Amino acid sequence: AYEKLWLALALVLIVGFIGTITYGAAGAGIEMIDDEGGTVDPATLDQHPKFGDPGIERTGENSYDVYVVARQFVFEPGTTEPLRVPAGSTVTFHVTAADVIHGFEVVGTNANTMAIPGQVSEFTVQFEEAGEYGILCNEYCGSGHHVMEGKIVVM
Ligand code: CUA
């Protein structure tokens, strides 16, 4: 009889733990849905139809594509001006790097990828609630690594 009790208790703990994780993600108002990628020629990045002038593109009523170039020591866009998206939008990020390997992490969420020259990291995020999210570079990329950051404003 005790075995069943312990089993039940363990189940309750597991379900509770999963619930905490789910709530934590929802509480942050952001959810990373998938992760895929592609390639891009770093030598002609400046002439690329998307990465040549990176930014936000509306693709549907509540959906956006965001193209980000990471370079020593800024995210374009994100660093000199925040990325702005409306609450409730689904945003697909396409992230690459112009020089060396960088990271792209939305602080406090599971949205996190490497920015690699020649490669495009793609992931989709749902921004449910208004708020501000920091972007951090989490790969050592040189002397300015520790100040390489940006901001996403969900309105
Ligand atoms: Cu860019 Cu560290």
Side-chain angles (χ1 to χ4, degrees):
Y2 277 116
E3 279 168 26
K4 277 187 180 162
L5 194 64
W6 282 114
L7 197 64
L9 192 63
L11 274 173
V12 167
L13 284 174
I14 290 166
V15 169
F17 186 56
I18 292 169
T20 306
I21 292 169
T22 309
Y23 178 77
I30 181 172
E31 189 186 355
M32 188 161 161
I33 298 165
D34 56 36
D35 194 348
E36 10 184 305
T39 58
V40 65
D41 183 359
T44 57
L45 204 59
D46 288 350
Q47 287 105 58
H48 189 275
K50 306 292 188 186
F51 290 112
D53 184 21
I56 303 179
E57 255 177 45
R58 196 173 183 187
T59 54
E61 198 176 334
N62 296 308
S63 55
Y64 297 83
D65 268 343
V66 174
Y67 293 84
V68 178
V69 175
R71 68 174 82 227
Q72 290 168 322
F73 297 97
V74 291
F75 297 104
E76 300 171 2
T79 297
T80 51
E81 51 184 308
L83 275 160
R84 294 177 192 278
V85 292
S89 51
T90 300
V91 179
T92 300
F93 288 91
H94 308 260
V95 183
T96 192
D99 39 31
V100 298
I101 292 176
H102 297 273
F104 183 96
E105 177 185 357
V106 184
V107 179
T109 75
N110 70 342
N112 186 3
T113 191
M114 284 171 85
I116 303 167
Q119 291 187 27
V120 182
S121 300
E122 297 181 338
F123 61 96
T124 299
V125 165
Q126 240 157 3
F127 290 98
E128 279 137 29
E129 297 159 28
E132 289 192 5
Y133 300 90
I135 305 168
L136 269 188
C137 178
N138 56 15
E139 296 284 337
Y140 183 75
C141 55
S143 62
H145 163 70
H146 63 288
V147 295
M148 184 165 170
E149 57 187 23
K151 195 194 279 183
I152 300 169
V153 177
V154 183
M155 299 166 288

